[in-house]
Amino acid sequence: MRLRSLESRIVALFLVLVLIVQLAGFIAIHTGINENARKAVANELVIGERVFLRLMQQNADNLVTGARVLALDYGFRQAVGSDDNETITSVLENHGARIGATLTLLIGIDREIKATTATLTSAGFKQSILALVEEADHSGSANGVRLVDDKPYRIVVIPVKAPQTIGWVAMAFPIDQQLINDMHELSSLQVAIVSRDQAGAWTTKESTFTTTEAANLSERLQDFPPAPANFGVLNIAGNEYSYRNRVLAANEEHVANVLLLQSINAAVAPYDRLQLTLLILTAICTLLAVFFSKVAVRRITGPLRELTEIAKQLGKGDYEGRLEIRRKDEIGELARAFDSMRDDISRREFETNRLAYWDTLTNLPNRPQCVKLISAAVEQADKAGGHCYVLILNLDRFKNVNDVLGHQIGDDLLRKVAERLKEQLDGGTGQLARLEGDEFAIVLPLTNLRACQMVAQQILISLEQPISLDDQTVDLGAGIGIAGFPEHGTDAEALVSHAEIAMYAAKKSGNEAVVYHPAIDKSSDQNLSLLSELRHAIENNEFRLQMQPKILLDSGEVVGAEALIRWVHPERGMIFPDDFIPFAEKSGFIRTMTLWILEQSAALCSQLIARGLHLKISINLSTRDLLDQDLPHKFAAILQRHQVTAQSFCLEITESAIMDDPVRALQTLERLHAMNVELSIDDFGTGYSSLAYLKRLPVDELKIDKSFVMNMEHDRDDAQIVRSTIDLGHNMGLRVVAEGIESKEAWSLLEAMGCDQGQGYLISKPMPAEQLADWVERWVPSSRSVTPINATS
């Protein structure tokens, strides 16, 4: 219960903050100490391993030196040469004792042991000795670690020469307690020699641990796998040790390893006092935080209690009370703010209500208020068993007014429209509201459809009169959607939604007032369905790439092909572009389709080049493609992916696509042209661009629309247009291509006019992309008198 007060909460907050900071510091330090200790231990083990190997090598060097001295001893060589075994054995024992060799042997030329200072009990050891003898025979000496009765020994072999090799001296010393004690003194690491038998059981042979620790190590070794990791952690007698493991020697029966261990607990122990100090500091800081926070909080909570009582009075609407707090700190400022708040609340309540439900520009009800008006009208009509209607009106060309004349003129225009709409409702029961932007709503309670349509007609007639604003005359129109209760909806949201759908249908169809009908929604559903099917087509590879060849008109040589897309629907079969391209353009899906065509065309281009065919592939770009500033980057990635050059492509754009947004289109075209991609203006002559603008475009080709080419034999005007276009293109330094060549006469006429290239059904209909290479190889460049090869032949 005490924590409900501000005082207790602030004290608790101070306490928690101190504890969190101290705990975070403690955890960070503890974690850092632990990590650093482990890293230090790991480094010590790495160094210790090097020291151990160096110690082993020193002992091996001593053995090698001793063995070389013995092998060079004249008397010893005489004894070996005369097979004086008694002398040989005596020399081996004396010399081995001097250098600390536990085992000394003489091996004869016949690879038999002639003399030894110890009894050999292991056949494997003899094999190991003979293997070292073979190595010494080739390299002059040999040494290695081998197992003798499951214990590791360092063994060296040196040849005895007089001057030819007459035998080999082998010396060995054990890797035993003395060696690991030396290692322990050098590095302070714990060392253990462990052995594994054929059954996989590990035993401790020698170690620097105490008896208890060594016994515990033996227990832990039972969990060791047959081939343990090179490093790891063991818990021995309650202490955590980090170890490094190294194989010393192995034979068919045993494996001997050395374990170098360092205690992590010992590494961390020096820091335990620091952690204890931190705990004491944490406790002291906690007590100080509690004391000082209680003192500070009491200076705050006293005046706040008084302010709380005044706030309760203001909440009840009592604005007459006065505050007696006269302080110059933040509490005093808060008290003065309460005074000014009393005067503002009433005014702001009124203003807030007005802003929430009224449009500030036209002083009409806004959308939330309109919804309330519609709900009231629906309730009234429901009780009376009648009808009510909602009209949604959206202005035509309002965006152009905003863009051309500015937003200030646009605001003035909306106020004028609101006044004109009020005049049409003057004297009636209709209620006008502004929903948003240039969209208005009219609520007609207790009326019928005929009367509603008459109101809509009056509004449309009134908007036909131009509106004058600052010496500017603006012509407006509008689309109106109508929805009524109960036939089109039983609540305000449904009526508004259906009226808006009808309004969009009115603007789209050109009808100025449309009554909602469910069929309008079906059209929207069909569009959504078509978009879903297009996405499905991309994902399931239903699109097909087709190519229509392009030739040089003077020689008939194939120089390129235009890429076209077809849709093979799983249910409706082949769907031609006119049935889905316009919708794809409108919905924005055309960008995805264009990337698909670019990808497929690049793959085809790579295949053609592999067959020795170098054709320029033409691909159409849409308006939305030109507005995509990332298109050059995406196209470059496709070219890189298929290892083809930009010079193999010509991108075709229409005049209308360029003029939709000339600035952005020009930026995209310039970036594409900088990649060395050729650009072509498709369907030239059907657009509305000026020659002055076209001259600025970085294009390489003009393509004459087929509507002129197909009729030019019989229409002198079309022929003149074609001739003028060819001359214009050549004067601008452009290549001219004619499409729609369907007769030999058209071919001849175009050649006579100087047209460079052509395409059309006379040459070939569009064909599947995979057939293009075979078609080109069968095509024979010829005059117009020879019938071209059909794509399907």
Side-chain angles (χ1 to χ4, degrees), residues 172-244:
F173 73 89
I175 301 175
D176 55 6
Q177 189 67 43
Q178 180 61 43
L179 178 65
I180 64 175
N181 287 341
D182 293 343
M183 178 63 193
H184 180 65
E185 291 178 2
L186 286 173
S187 63
S188 76
L189 298 179
Q190 300 292 350
V191 187
I193 305 297
V194 296
S195 175
R196 175 178 60 80
D197 59 20
Q198 286 182 315
W202 290 90
T203 56
T204 304
K205 295 298 182 181
E206 309 286 352
S207 78
T208 58
F209 283 114
T210 63
T211 304
T212 302
E213 291 173 331
N216 194 259
L217 173 61
S218 297
E219 294 177 7
R220 294 290 178 265
L221 289 178
Q222 304 313 310
D223 298 329
F224 252 39
N230 293 334
F231 53 87
V233 176
L234 282 174
N235 195 297
I236 302 173
N239 287 325
E240 190 176 13
Y241 283 84
S242 183
Y243 70 84
R244 288 189 71 85

Side-chain angles (χ1 to χ4, degrees), residues 431-444:
Q431 297 169 305
L432 177 64
R434 181 190 175 210
L435 301 185
E436 59 189 3
D438 59 340
E439 193 169 293
F440 295 85
I442 299 169
V443 183
L444 299 175

Side-chain angles (χ1 to χ4, degrees), residues 52-108:
F52 180 78
L53 294 176
R54 182 61 182 166
L55 186 62
M56 293 269 291
Q57 187 60 43
Q58 286 178 351
N59 288 337
D61 292 343
N62 291 337
L63 282 183
V64 170
T65 301
R68 289 189 187 279
V69 171
L70 178 60
L72 294 174
D73 184 87
Y74 179 77
F76 179 70
R77 285 186 293 173
Q78 277 191 328
V80 172
S82 60
D83 286 333
D84 186 354
N85 287 336
E86 183 177 352
T87 301
I88 292 171
T89 301
S90 175
V91 172
L92 291 177
E93 289 176 349
N94 293 334
H95 198 78
R98 281 201 303 272
I99 65 173
T102 304
L103 181 64
T104 309
L105 304 92
L106 174 68
I107 296 92

Side-chain angles (χ1 to χ4, degrees), residues 737-748:
V737 180
E739 59 181 1
I741 301 176
E742 297 189 358
S743 67
K744 299 174 184 178
E745 291 77 10
W747 185 342
S748 298

